[in-house]
Amino acid sequence: MKECECDQCEELCEHPQAICLAKAELIADEDAQRVSETFKILGDTTRVKILQILSKRELCVCDIAAVIQMGQSAVSHQLRMLRTARLVKYRKEGTLAWYSLNDEHIATLLAQGLEHIHHD
């Protein structure tokens, strides 16, 4: 007899204590929405590359564009999205705009994502 490969229980058997604990630990709707939006922003290879290089050092828009081989206008658009999502911050120095990660959580999130994909 072939084993079932479906992703559901073969019989209904709820565990009230486990359900109660899980409900108490469930993420709030607003927090789930914000996390989901963050992961949507991270769902673009260009933005992931930008975050990765910014996890190593602060760079100006010109440098970021040169590293990822895109025009400054396209890079600025991506940086604006990352800034709106509070993943990067910038500072002006004369005519240059310097970008860096907003905080270490972003570097940790990126590092864990890389570790996950390389984990056997």
Side-chain angles (χ1 to χ4, degrees), residues 28-43:
D29 287 346
E30 183 179 325
D31 290 343
Q33 181 66 36
R34 290 180 70 188
V35 170
S36 175
E37 288 169 5
T38 298
F39 281 114
K40 284 179 189 174
I41 292 291
L42 294 174

Side-chain angles (χ1 to χ4, degrees), residues 22-62:
K23 281 184 177 181
E25 298 164 343
L26 185 62
I27 188 172
D29 287 346
E30 183 179 325
D31 290 343
Q33 181 66 36
R34 290 180 70 188
V35 170
S36 175
E37 288 169 5
T38 298
F39 281 114
K40 284 179 189 174
I41 292 291
L42 294 174
D44 177 88
T45 56
T46 299
R47 291 191 287 269
V48 169
K49 287 177 181 181
I50 291 170
L51 291 173
Q52 189 274 325
I53 61 175
L54 291 178
S55 72
K56 307 297 182 191
R57 67 192 45 80
E58 179 182 58
L59 293 168
C60 78
V61 176
C62 303

